[in-house]
Amino acid sequence: MYDVIVIGGGPCGLATGLALQKRKISYLIIEKGAIVNSIADCPLDMRFYSTSDRLEIGDIPFISQEVRPTRTELLKYYRLVTDRNDMNIACHEKVVHISKNKDLFSVRTVDQKGADITYQSRMLVMATGIFDHPRKIGVSGEDLRKVKHYYKEGHSYYGQEVLVVGGKNSAVEAAIDLYRNGAQVTLVHRGDSVYKGIKPSLLLDIRNFIEKEKIKFYPNSSVTEIGDSEVSLHTPAGPITISNDYVFSLIGYQPDTQLLQQIGITLDSDTLVPSFDPETYETNVTNAFLAGVVTGGITNTVYIEGGRFHGETIASEIEKRIATSSIVSYPNVREA
C-alpha cells in the first residue's frame, strides 16, 4: 500500500517521484521497461535539440560535453539521479489493469518472469507518455515484419530500399541517417514540404539531399498499401508502386487510451487529450493525476522541458490533501 503510485518511469515520472519523496510522501513508480525507456529507444547516435539544463530534474545539475546532450549522456544522467536519490521504482513490470474501489486504486502488473503483482494506493499519477503507442497509417500490410515504428540506427539497412513515412523531426532524421548508411531512401509526406518546423540542424542536409535527388521525396502523398516487396502510393501525379524492402512509419505516437479509460478518464475524441484540471493536473477521476507528455495527447505540444515541472505541482496538491485528512501516510517500502 502506498500513498501514490506513479505509472511510468520516464523523466516526468521520475520528477514526480522526486517531488513526492522530498515531501516524505510514500510512492512507487512502476515502469514496464528500464527507467526513461523512451529515451533508450531513441536512435543510438541521437543528439537532443533541448539543452541539458532544460532536461534536469530533482535540482540535480546536468552538464553535458556540448550544450545539447547525446542519448548516452542523458541516459547516464537519469541513472545518476535515480541512484543518488535511491528512488522507489519497480522496473520491467507491465501494468495490465487498473481499477478503483471507493478510495483506493488497485494496479495489477506482470513482471519479466510472468508473476502477477497487485499494488494499492490512495492516489494515482499517470506519467505514461505516448512513445509506446505508435500511430498507424491504417493500410493493408502495415502489420508486416518489415514495417518499423521506431528507428535506432542505419547500418542494418545498407543497400536496402527503404521508405520513410512522415515529415517531422524523427522521420527527417531517420531519412538522413539511412542515406548516410548506404540505404536507397524514399521519403513520403502528406504535406507539401518537410522543411517547416524541423530542427535547424536537419534543414540544410534534408534540403540538399532532396534537391539533388539523393533522397526521393513524394510530397502531398500517402501510402495506400504495403506489400512484401513493394509499396503503393497515392501521389499528385496518380497512383504509383515502388520497390521496397523496409518501411519506417514515423508519423507520431499517442497515449495508451485503454489504460486511461479503465478508470474512467475521458479523452477528447480528436486530439486524445485527457480531461484534467490545468491548475492541479487532476483528471475527471478524483485523486487520479496526469504528468508529462500524456497531457498533450497527439498534439505534440508537451515535452520533457515542460512536463518535468508537473510533478512538483501534483506533489504539492497531494501534500495538502494528506495534511487535511486524518489518514496516516504509508511507509515507502515495496514487497513483491
Side-chain angles (χ1 to χ4, degrees), residues 1-6 20 23-28 103-105 120-125 287 289 318 322 325 327-332:
M1 180 72 76
Y2 296 90
D3 292 322
V4 186
I5 287 177
V6 180
L20 293 166
R23 292 168 171 82
K24 302 188 185 306
I25 298 171
S26 71
Y27 73 94
L28 173 67
D103 296 328
L104 288 179
F105 292 95
Q120 289 188 316
S121 66
R122 297 193 186 98
M123 303 184 197
L124 186 73
V125 179
N287 291 332
F289 299 82
I318 290 174
I322 291 176
S325 71
I327 303 172
V328 177
S329 180
Y330 291 102
N332 204 25

Side-chain angles (χ1 to χ4, degrees), residues 37-264:
N37 202 60
S38 60
I39 294 175
D41 282 338
C42 287
L44 299 181
D45 296 326
M46 180 173 176
R47 183 176 295 279
F48 285 79
Y49 186 61
S50 300
T51 56
S52 57
D53 60 301
R54 300 184 68 185
L55 298 169
E56 295 174 352
I57 59 174
D59 298 322
I60 296 179
F62 176 25
I63 301 174
S64 53
Q65 188 171 355
E66 296 186 20
V67 175
R68 292 178 171 83
T70 64
R71 166 188 173 274
T72 300
E73 288 176 316
L74 198 51
L75 291 175
K76 183 177 181 180
Y77 168 74
Y78 287 126
R79 290 197 303 270
L80 180 147
V81 171
T82 303
D83 284 342
R84 183 172 294 181
N85 289 277
D86 193 23
M87 298 188 70
N88 200 33
I89 304 177
C91 288
H92 301 286
E93 288 190 26
K94 180 178 176 60
V95 174
V96 294
H97 192 264
I98 308 172
S99 61
K100 186 179 183 184
N101 182 19
K102 295 183 179 179
D103 296 328
L104 288 179
F105 292 95
S106 291
V107 179
R108 186 164 66 87
T109 72
V110 175
D111 68 12
Q112 70 268 39
K113 298 177 182 177
D116 279 346
I117 307 169
T118 298
Y119 305 100
Q120 289 188 316
S121 66
R122 297 193 186 98
M123 303 184 197
L124 186 73
V125 179
M126 303 291 289
T128 48
I130 62 172
F131 199 63
D132 293 329
H133 297 273
R135 298 173 67 184
K136 298 298 183 72
I137 303 172
V139 299
S140 174
E142 191 169 10
D143 294 328
L144 291 173
R145 291 182 61 185
K146 73 179 212 175
V147 180
K148 317 290 182 182
H149 296 282
Y150 301 93
Y151 182 77
K152 295 287 284 188
E153 55 86 31
H155 174 77
S156 301
Y157 305 96
Y158 169 78
Q160 302 296 294
E161 294 178 302
V162 183
L163 177 71
V164 178
V165 185
K168 302 295 185 182
N169 286 312
S170 57
V172 171
E173 199 159 14
I176 292 172
D177 192 58
L178 284 162
Y179 170 75
R180 286 179 170 158
N181 278 275
Q184 300 174 46
V185 183
T186 301
L187 179 62
V188 173
H189 181 39
R190 62 183 179 182
D192 60 357
S193 172
V194 292
Y195 304 150
K196 304 171 185 175
I198 63 170
K199 302 174 187 176
S201 58
L202 301 176
L203 185 56
L204 184 63
D205 282 338
I206 192 62
R207 178 180 283 133
N208 179 53
F209 292 157
I210 288 175
E211 290 179 355
K212 293 185 177 180
E213 297 188 351
K214 294 179 178 180
I215 291 176
K216 180 65 175 176
F217 178 48
Y218 288 96
N220 299 309
S221 301
S222 59
V223 176
T224 56
E225 186 176 1
I226 301 172
D228 289 329
S229 57
E230 71 285 322
V231 175
S232 297
L233 306 176
H234 175 75
T235 75
I240 64 169
T241 298
I242 61 174
S243 180
N244 173 261
D245 296 307
Y246 291 96
V247 174
F248 282 93
S249 177
L250 304 176
I251 59 174
Y253 305 90
Q254 66 183 42
D256 185 344
T257 56
Q258 182 179 8
L259 208 58
L260 295 170
Q261 291 172 329
Q262 275 183 2
I263 56 172

